[in-house]
Amino acid sequence: MSSMLIEAILLGLVGVIGVIDSRLIGRQNIGRPLILSSLAGLVLGDLTKGITLGASLELISMGFVSIGAAGPPNMQFGSIIATAFAILSGASTEEALTIAIPVAVAGEFLSIIMRMVIAQFSHIADRAIEDGKYKKAIHIHLWWSFIFNALVYFIPIFLTIYLGADLVASLVEQIPEVITNGLTVAGNLLSALGFAMLLSSMLSKKMFPYFLLGFLLVAYSGLDLIAITLYSGILAFILDRVIYAKKEA
């Protein structure tokens, strides 16, 4: 098999990994842009670029929320495909971001269609339950939906990478600089919105002391983020033990 075919298959499987999260093993945040872009970068031999782009997409996705029936852009599609094209075409992070958002929006339309089809499986499961075929109902709930969901992710990602790399690379080169700059600014604004939404949950009497402690540690301790994260983990463990001990008492 050609290297492009192998890479397309592996990237399709990265998309399947994103499906496993929340749909088969619970919400483990494996399907976040930072994880999927890093995996895509690892598959294509440029982990650094994958992490860099994933971090930018992660900041943007913080501002996306699902409200009622309106779903946010599907960043799983956007993360994998944008990272792949950034590495395969040599595009910059800014140019890759111009691909990520439109692909994510298109991916959400595909997700809506997918959910409409999966919803029909529940009727088949209902009939199986009425007939006393409980194992069949369990299989429909767990495996039919997951396999269909996985194919909906795998096939578009595979075909896009295998058939469209050169086409998208040429389209990226033809994007006017004014549009690239505009989308870069928009991406930065979305990142700021994501931070604002994250901070809004911390600006409470209960959470603000921890936010202030983290800010002061970063500003004045001279420790890097890994060290601060480790200390924070230890602090969280101690506080959890204290709270648990009080409940037990």
Side-chain angles (χ1 to χ4, degrees):
M1 291 190 292
S2 66
S3 60
M4 180 59 72
L5 177 59
I6 295 174
E7 290 172 348
I9 293 173
L10 291 176
L11 288 171
L13 292 177
V14 171
V16 174
I17 290 174
V19 175
I20 291 175
D21 183 38
S22 80
R23 294 174 176 83
L24 197 62
I25 61 174
R27 176 66 67 182
Q28 306 298 326
N29 287 325
I30 300 173
R32 299 297 302 176
L34 179 59
I35 303 299
L36 295 182
S37 289
S38 298
L39 291 175
L42 183 63
V43 167
L44 297 174
D46 195 342
L47 179 60
T48 300
K49 195 162 190 176
I51 294 174
T52 301
L53 186 56
S56 298
L57 292 169
E58 187 70 40
L59 292 176
I60 292 174
S61 67
M62 288 180 182
F64 293 154
V65 292
S66 179
I67 302 175
N74 191 313
M75 294 305 291
Q76 294 174 333
F77 275 112
S79 300
I80 297 170
I81 293 175
T83 301
F85 287 133
I87 295 173
L88 293 174
S89 66
S92 65
T93 300
E94 290 76 14
E95 291 171 327
L97 291 177
T98 65
I99 297 175
I101 302 305
V103 169
V105 172
E108 180 55 27
F109 284 114
L110 188 60
S111 297
I112 292 172
I113 296 173
M114 173 191 68
R115 287 192 288 269
M116 291 173 62
V117 174
I118 288 179
Q120 304 308 310
F121 292 167
S122 62
H123 301 304
I124 302 175
D126 289 340
R127 289 194 293 270
I129 293 173
E130 291 174 357
D131 295 337
K133 299 177 181 178
Y134 301 113
K135 287 187 177 181
K136 180 180 179 180
I138 293 173
H139 290 160
I140 293 171
H141 177 67
L142 288 179
W143 300 113
W144 288 26
S145 299
F146 169 73
I147 292 172
F148 179 73
N149 207 332
L151 290 175
V152 168
Y153 275 75
F154 178 87
I155 293 174
I157 292 173
F158 170 81
L159 293 177
T160 303
I161 302 303
Y162 185 65
L163 300 177
D166 295 336
L167 175 61
V168 173
S170 63
L171 291 176
V172 169
E173 293 175 356
Q174 296 175 17
I175 295 176
E177 186 176 353
V178 63
I179 295 179
T180 301
N181 293 338
L183 289 172
T184 301
V185 172
N188 291 334
L189 289 174
L190 286 172
S191 300
L193 176 62
F195 267 120
M197 295 181 65
L198 189 62
L199 289 174
S200 66
S201 64
M202 299 181 180
L203 297 179
S204 63
K205 292 181 179 180
K206 183 178 180 180
M207 299 300 297
F208 184 73
Y210 301 108
F211 168 73
L212 184 60
L213 175 62
F215 174 78
L216 293 175
L217 282 174
V218 173
Y220 298 108
S221 69
L223 298 173
D224 59 23
L225 290 179
I226 294 178
I228 292 175
T229 301
L230 293 174
Y231 280 119
S232 300
I234 294 172
L235 177 61
F237 177 78
I238 294 173
L239 291 173
D240 179 71
R241 294 294 91 192
V242 171
I243 294 172
Y244 180 77
K246 287 183 178 179
K247 289 182 178 179
E248 287 292 310

